[in-house]
Amino acid sequence: MTRPLRLLLGLVLVALLPGLGVAHADDGAPVARAAYAQIEGSGSTWSEVIVQQWISDVDALGMKVTYNGGGSSQGRKNFSQNVTDFGISEIPYPGVDEFGNADNSNGREYAYLPIVAGGTAFTYQLKIGNELVRNLRLSGETLVKIFTNQITNWNDPAIAADNNGRAFPSLPITPVVRSDGSGTTAQLTTWMDSEYGSLWQGYYGRSGYTSYYPRKGRMIAQSGSDQVMNTISGFAGNGTIGYVEYSYPLNKDYPVVKVLNKGGYYVEPTQYNVAVALTKAKINQDKSSQLYLTQILDDVYRSTDPRAYPLSSYSYMLVPTGADDQRMSTAKRQTLGDFMYYSLCEGQSKAGPYGYSPLPLNLVQAGFQQLALLKQADPAVDLTNRDVTKCNNPTFVGGDLKRNKLAEIAPKPAACDKLGAGPCGTVTGTGEPSTDESGAPGTEGGKGKGGKKGATQPSGPTSAPPPGTPVIDPVTGEAVPGGTPIAAATGTDPAGTAASDPIYATPTELAADRPTDRKAFGWLAVLELLALILVPGAVAATRARRKAAAR
């Protein structure tokens, strides 16, 4: 970022955040605020995308914050060992981990502070020919069977049933799981254990969640959400499926599974669907408990609202609250307080665009109360002018703690997303709701239906093609024998009219991937690399010769 832009951003943030920069006494006279000092944190990769954005935002205000997303388990461990000033985790300290090792704060005083909401998404790479399927639907049971090795091929009848009879190629399924101690894994397995206990416990060998996914069979294990996402979206990723926070496929422009909810609709974790689901979350309100503000999500999993995304949850910061904390100083506490003030207030307005969902008013207000513990530990910390009602948060409704505007305006899912209908032809992983409502919030141009930027998969409900209907090979453009072709690359039929169905293929009609494709594209990549190396040198040599001749 250039210096002028940095200065401009700083001025904008100062204007938006009157509580930062210069404090004032009750009589309006300016009061010197404590100097800032760099703070360090680690933990959740589920939350890392938005946390890094907040860090970038406050840098213009002179706050230096570093964050290493090594996984929730590592974040809790680093905090307990006084390696970091704060940690971020999707789950609280369990006391003892699944291996019998201590997983607690080791005596360090702390409080949980909710920072952002979001949905654990299932992103995948599934190609028909060379075309990426972008509107896959799966039930919770099908997903659990995939991640417990009971469904191992994309042509499984259960997958076809979830997609209203659409058949997919014969291709082995390769689940991509986390190799590190992960809050994302803990959230996934908590849901599996709660809702599909017999399937999960038969695979895991006992009840309960785990932060370390038990890898078996064809599974690939990767460290961190970014590596899971890169593995799935990579050149060799066809057939893979994994779990990450929705921000990763959204920022990668990659599809996610629409998951069947208890309301009978397949939905993805947009900020709206997450906000609706979390209205059913139970929050620990016992201020005397170390688990104050932590979440109980059983009713979220089972919400019958057709808009609710089942795997919705919150992420938490571990805030040091001890007066004699060996890592903390007045300057560090001031930096942490002002950083989290921005994150809980203005920072929440960025949650939706980055693949998360902003916190509701009651949790923001509770977060402010947790930040007050920093001043309780050190009276020199200045937390004046922290007015929650002035926060620019999309969920707030005129100071009403019990309402969530985002959940109230969340559009109903499209008719083609209903169990037994569709599937819809619109693409997933765009952050836009799939809906039939005209002018619905979050849709491009208020047109409804979801999808964005000229998505090629046709919109609207679809019906299963009759048996024997041939398919166009998306790579060669040639019809596979057996019926009337549909042009996959353009989304039109031979007469030039818009095709009504997305492109699918039966297992025997179209290969999922072809060695000739890889060979051709491999040579093309080599030629492009040689061009990048040789062309600049050749151009420079030509210019040098011309200059010499001109002399």
Side-chain angles (χ1 to χ4, degrees), residues 86-149:
F86 66 90
I88 296 180
S89 176
E90 275 71 69
I91 60 171
Y93 278 114
V96 178
D97 67 17
E98 44 266 68
F99 306 111
N101 301 317
D103 190 351
N104 55 49
S105 71
N106 196 30
R108 190 177 185 185
E109 296 179 60
Y110 69 96
Y112 294 115
L113 189 156
I115 60 170
V116 75
T120 299
F122 299 92
T123 188
Y124 62 92
Q125 185 182 146
L126 176 60
K127 290 183 178 179
I128 297 176
N130 203 37
E131 291 291 309
L132 181 64
V133 175
R134 298 197 62 129
N135 56 353
L136 183 67
R137 314 189 318 185
L138 296 174
S139 67
E141 182 176 350
T142 301
L143 281 164
V144 174
K145 286 183 176 180
I146 286 174
F147 282 93
T148 56
N149 291 335

Side-chain angles (χ1 to χ4, degrees), residues 185-451:
T185 297
Q187 292 287 18
L188 171 66
T189 57
T190 298
W191 168 73
M192 294 166 74
D193 184 62
S194 172
E195 303 306 295
Y196 303 94
S198 60
L199 294 174
W200 167 242
Q201 292 159 22
Y203 176 83
Y204 185 41
R206 59 182 186 269
S207 63
Y209 74 84
T210 178
S211 296
Y212 297 85
Y213 203 93
R215 182 171 66 91
K216 301 178 184 180
R218 287 181 56 86
M219 291 181 182
I220 297 173
Q222 295 288 1
S223 178
S225 298
D226 53 346
Q227 290 305 310
V228 171
M229 188 71 246
N230 290 340
T231 299
I232 292 169
S233 61
F235 182 75
N238 194 24
T240 57
I241 183 171
Y243 54 93
V244 291
E245 205 284 328
Y246 186 52
S247 60
Y248 288 88
L250 177 66
N251 294 328
K252 198 90 172 180
D253 193 23
Y254 228 70
V256 299
V257 172
K258 285 185 176 180
V259 179
L260 182 64
N261 63 25
K262 298 300 183 182
Y265 283 81
Y266 293 89
V267 298
E268 63 179 298
T270 66
Q271 61 173 324
Y272 303 96
N273 296 336
V274 169
V276 168
L278 289 175
T279 60
K280 299 297 184 181
K282 293 180 180 178
I283 305 299
N284 188 317
Q285 298 293 337
D286 184 1
K287 292 185 179 181
S288 65
S289 169
Q290 188 63 70
L291 295 175
Y292 175 55
L293 297 183
T294 56
Q295 57 197 335
I296 301 171
L297 300 173
D298 296 46
D299 291 343
V300 173
Y301 304 151
R302 300 163 193 165
S303 173
T304 56
D305 191 306
R307 304 167 298 173
Y309 184 75
L311 282 87
S312 299
S313 58
Y314 299 109
S315 188
Y316 294 85
M317 175 178 282
L318 299 169
V319 178
T321 59
D324 56 353
D325 191 293
Q326 67 184 57
R327 282 193 61 93
M328 301 307 290
S329 63
T330 300
K332 280 191 170 186
R333 290 188 180 95
Q334 190 68 58
T335 305
L336 182 58
D338 285 352
F339 173 54
M340 285 315 301
Y341 172 65
Y342 172 80
S343 303
L344 289 171
C345 200
E346 288 298 320
Q348 295 296 311
S349 66
K350 293 190 174 183
Y354 280 86
Y356 297 86
S357 189
L359 295 174
L361 178 57
N362 64 319
L363 286 185
V364 173
Q365 191 168 64
F368 277 28
Q369 294 168 357
Q370 296 292 69
L371 286 180
L373 297 175
L374 294 172
K375 185 173 181 63
Q376 183 175 311
D378 184 351
V381 175
D382 184 3
L383 297 178
T384 55
N385 296 322
R386 299 300 194 269
D387 186 353
V388 69
T389 62
K390 295 180 181 178
C391 290
N392 180 24
N393 185 314
T395 70
F396 290 4
V397 181
D400 188 338
L401 290 173
K402 297 181 180 179
R403 294 178 63 190
N404 184 323
K405 182 179 179 182
L406 206 63
E408 291 176 8
I409 65 173
K412 295 180 180 178
C416 50
D417 284 323
K418 190 174 183 179
L419 179 65
C424 299
T426 47
V427 304
T428 58
T430 67
E432 299 178 6
S434 173
T435 181
D436 295 324
E437 296 179 14
S438 179
T443 57
E444 192 168 283
K447 297 178 181 178
K449 284 292 185 191

